[in-house]
Structures are given as C-alpha cells and as structure tokens.
Amino acid sequence: MTKLSLSLLFLCFIILASSSLGLSKSYETKPTKVSTYVLKKGDISIKLTNWGATIVSLFVPDRYGKLADVVLGYDTINEYKNDTSYIGAVVGRVANRIGGAKFTLNGKTYKIVANEGKNVLHGGKIGFSDVVWNVKKYHNEGPTPYIVFTYHSYDGEQGFPGDLLVSVTYTLSGHNKLSVKMEAKALNKPTPVNLAQHAYWNLGGHNSGNILSNYIKIFGSKITLVDSQLIPTGKFAEVKGTPYDFLKPRQVGSRIKKLAKENGYDINYVLDGTPYGALKRVAVVYDKKSGRSMKLSTNAPGVQFYTSNFLKDVKGKGGFVYQPRAALCLETQGFPDAVNHPNFPSTIVTPEKPYNHIMLFEFSTRPMYNV
C-alpha cells in the first residue's frame, strides 16, 4: 500500500470518528464573540479565529527543525475585518466567480449582490469570510486536536436562496498533517454551495519574499478557460506544453512571463480523477531553501491556483509588507460559475443532498522526488 493510500485511510478514520462534530440538531445560531484559538500537535501548531473561520498562522519546521509561520496574515482581528484579499478565510456561499451576478435554478432567476464589477466574487459583498462563526467544539489536547466552526446563512443572504447550515472542522492528525472538512446542509430550498479555504502559502515563511522559486506539481491535465473578467467560457483546454503545465515539478516563476497577462496565475485546474467522491492528489509544493514541502489532497473536482497577483503594499504580520507573488493559493473547489454551465459538475445542494468537502495538507522536509 502506498504512503498516499495510508494517509487517505487515516484521514477517513479521523473523519468518521469526528462525524458528530459538524451539523446536528443542537446547531447554535447565536454568534459568539470574536477570538483566536490554537491547536498544537508535535511540531505543528495552528492559530485560527472565528472571524471568517480563518487560519491566522501555521508553524511547521524546516529541514533543520526551525519553525516558521508559512501563511500570510495579520496581527489583529480588526485587520482581518478590514481585509479585502480573503487572507486565510473560508469563502462562500459560493467561492470564486459567478458571471453577471445571477443564475437560474428550477426555473427561477436569482440576482446576487455583485462585488467585482458586474460579477460576484467569493459570495458577494458580505460573504462567509466577513461574518462571525460560532465555535461549536474546541478540543486542543489529545492525539487529534480539533475545532469546529459553524454558521447559519439565512434565506436571501447576498441573494442566495434558502437557509443553509455550514460547518468547518480543522483537525491536526498524524504527523504534521492538517485536515479541513467543510459541510453544508440546505434546510428548505436547493441552493448553490462551493466553499474554499483561502490560505496564502509561503513555505519559506510568510515574511521570506516571493514564491517564484518554489517548485510545484499540479495533478490537473486541463484548465477551465476564462474570459477577460476571469469568468469561465464553459470550455476546457489541455495544459501540456503551455505555461499552465505543472504536470511535472517546475518553479512557479519558470514560465509566468509567458502568460497572456503577465500578472500571474489565477486559474481553475480540472483535477485528474473522479469529479466528486474519493480523495485525490491536488498538488505538491516544495521550497528548496527551507526544505519544506506541502502535499494537498481533496475530494473536490478542481483547484484554483493563484499567485497573489492583487496583493500590493499589504501590511501583514510583524509589519512585513506583502507584495504580488508573496504567496500562492491552492483553493480546492467546484468549478467557478458552475451554476451557469450545465456541463460543469453541479454545485447545487438540496435538503436531501448535503455538501461535503475535504482537504488534507501534509507537511514534511523530504525532497520533492517521485511525487
């Protein structure tokens, strides 16, 4: 059995063991105060806040055992409240873009609150990244420390139909592993749901500069083509032989200047494997200088690869100023604008068909061989 198989089996065990952590009849709807919470297991530690169910920091060791915070972020909660880059947050009700800020479902057209020109980005003007989540459970001791954030999205919020109960569970499991489990249940109406974790990763450390020298391998042979506003056209393109080809490990910056728009990567990859269901490999990232590597697996059909193109003079943790390409994002997700493209995997959730989205991050200091 491969290391990947063992890892995925272990994650499945954790998910089954924690299945009672998420949505239940005792779901709380009253918001709690905004605070921060820490989970620690061995060498890895993560700090989170219930503002946006956000990852604030994540410390992992380099090849010499030296710890560094490998996610971009801020020092105070108020800075997260004023953030416009979704740094570390859970985004939804529908992550990524909806073209024209509207969609039709069961014969009815819904107009969503536009926040990027005439389109919607990451749920509208006040998405899940800009609300207070409840802390359902918090257990920071034992072999699998975890925290469960919950949120009740009301019928008509940002224009989306139906009441929706949402749960996000962060768990430290195994050796230097972080699992993120997102669940959602529609209470009374069908509704689109597409949640994503919007962490900005820099394995050299959040204050180490740009990520252009990082090596990355993406397990996606196709991308969803987009127009000038980054809205999918509904068509797909093979990545082989193009600047989007990371089927073999390459430096992030190796062909970034060959993109039609040279501001960087911001595109959805169609992951190889089944559209929804079993966990599959998403990507491997390796920082040669520190020796840190990160492997990501998911059960979602796609991943948005984004090189923080729109960061500019953002004052982050410790006063460090983040610039474009200071980090990379790997946002596992349903395809962007899926509500307007019948040929894309459906993102519609019904009372009978709940939403379940899993991510597994594995950190190590092993060289990037045979990935």
Side-chain angles (χ1 to χ4, degrees):
M1 184 175 290
T2 65
K3 291 183 179 179
L4 173 59
S5 299
L6 289 171
S7 297
L8 298 187
L9 284 172
F10 183 78
L11 177 61
C12 291
F13 171 78
I14 294 299
I15 291 168
L16 288 171
S18 62
S19 60
S20 62
L21 303 181
L23 308 173
S24 67
K25 294 181 180 180
S26 62
Y27 192 97
E28 301 170 8
T29 57
K30 184 178 179 181
T32 56
K33 67 177 182 178
V34 179
S35 188
T36 57
Y37 306 85
V38 175
L39 304 175
K40 189 177 188 309
K41 178 180 172 64
D43 291 329
I44 186 173
S45 64
I46 183 172
K47 180 186 288 187
L48 307 114
T49 176
N50 57 322
W51 178 263
T54 298
I55 296 176
V56 174
S57 66
L58 182 66
F59 284 85
V60 292
D62 66 7
R63 62 164 61 90
Y64 304 109
K66 183 179 179 181
L67 297 175
D69 183 0
V70 297
V71 294
L72 274 56
Y74 302 106
D75 289 324
T76 68
I77 297 298
N78 282 337
E79 289 172 297
Y80 281 100
K81 291 182 178 180
N82 293 323
D83 168 69
T84 58
S85 300
Y86 309 95
I87 291 180
V90 169
V91 293
R93 179 179 301 196
V94 175
N96 216 304
R97 293 170 173 86
I98 297 178
K102 62 181 180 180
F103 63 92
T104 300
L105 179 58
N106 294 335
K108 182 176 180 178
T109 298
Y110 295 90
K111 294 184 178 180
I112 313 304
V113 179
N115 64 328
E116 190 184 56
K118 65 179 182 180
N119 305 313
V120 174
L121 175 64
H122 293 330
K125 288 186 177 179
I126 306 177
F128 291 178
S129 59
D130 289 315
V131 298
V132 181
W133 293 60
N134 298 315
V135 179
K136 182 73 174 182
K137 292 188 178 183
Y138 175 42
H139 186 75
N140 60 356
E141 297 178 348
T144 53
Y146 64 85
I147 189 167
V148 184
F149 296 115
T150 56
Y151 180 65
H152 180 185
S153 180
Y154 59 85
D155 186 9
E157 185 172 7
Q158 299 297 296
F160 290 102
D163 288 283
L164 187 74
L165 300 184
V166 188
S167 171
V168 179
T169 303
Y170 293 94
T171 304
L172 296 182
S173 59
H175 179 68
N176 290 349
K177 296 178 184 179
L178 168 67
S179 67
V180 184
K181 180 182 180 183
M182 300 178 177
E183 299 173 281
K185 182 177 181 180
L187 294 186
N188 41 36
K189 297 178 183 178
T191 185
V193 178
N194 184 23
L195 307 181
Q197 216 305 322
H198 209 297
Y200 284 69
W201 301 99
N202 187 326
L203 297 183
H206 80 96
N207 56 355
S208 64
N210 68 56
I211 44 75
L212 296 179
S213 64
N214 280 191
Y215 285 83
I216 186 169
K217 178 178 181 179
I218 300 176
F219 294 76
S221 303
K222 298 179 182 179
I223 55 172
T224 49
L225 293 175
V226 295
D227 63 19
S228 60
Q229 299 178 58
L230 299 179
I231 304 298
T233 63
K235 297 181 179 180
F236 303 91
E238 298 282 345
V239 301
K240 190 172 182 179
T242 75
Y244 296 98
D245 184 353
F246 292 99
L247 294 170
K248 293 182 179 180
R250 301 180 190 274
Q251 287 186 315
V252 172
S254 61
R255 290 179 291 182
I256 199 168
K257 292 184 178 180
K258 293 183 179 181
L259 296 173
K261 292 186 177 180
E262 294 185 6
N263 57 333
Y265 292 94
D266 192 2
I267 195 72
N268 174 67
Y269 282 76
V270 179
L271 294 174
D272 298 331
T274 54
Y276 275 106
L279 292 184
K280 51 187 168 287
R281 188 71 82 208
V282 176
V284 183
V285 183
Y286 178 65
D287 176 54
K288 189 174 181 179
K289 185 175 180 180
S290 68
R292 295 187 184 93
S293 70
M294 180 179 77
K295 296 181 182 180
L296 173 60
S297 304
T298 190
N299 65 339
V303 61
Q304 189 82 6
F305 176 44
Y306 173 56
T307 48
S308 55
N309 313 322
F310 299 109
L311 289 183
K312 185 177 180 181
D313 301 329
V314 176
K315 186 179 179 181
K317 288 179 280 194
F320 190 80
V321 179
Y322 303 134
Q323 300 292 359
R325 306 171 185 174
L328 59 85
C329 300
L330 291 166
E331 308 157 55
T332 61
Q333 59 179 4
F335 296 172
D337 200 33
V339 287
N340 291 313
H341 296 283
N343 60 318
F344 286 2
S346 176
T347 55
I348 302 303
V349 170
T350 68
E352 298 77 29
K353 182 184 176 183
Y355 173 88
N356 188 294
H357 180 182
I358 301 166
M359 288 146 280
L360 174 64
F361 299 89
E362 302 175 79
F363 301 92
S364 72
T365 55
R366 292 187 294 273
M368 193 176 184
Y369 301 138
N370 301 320
V371 294

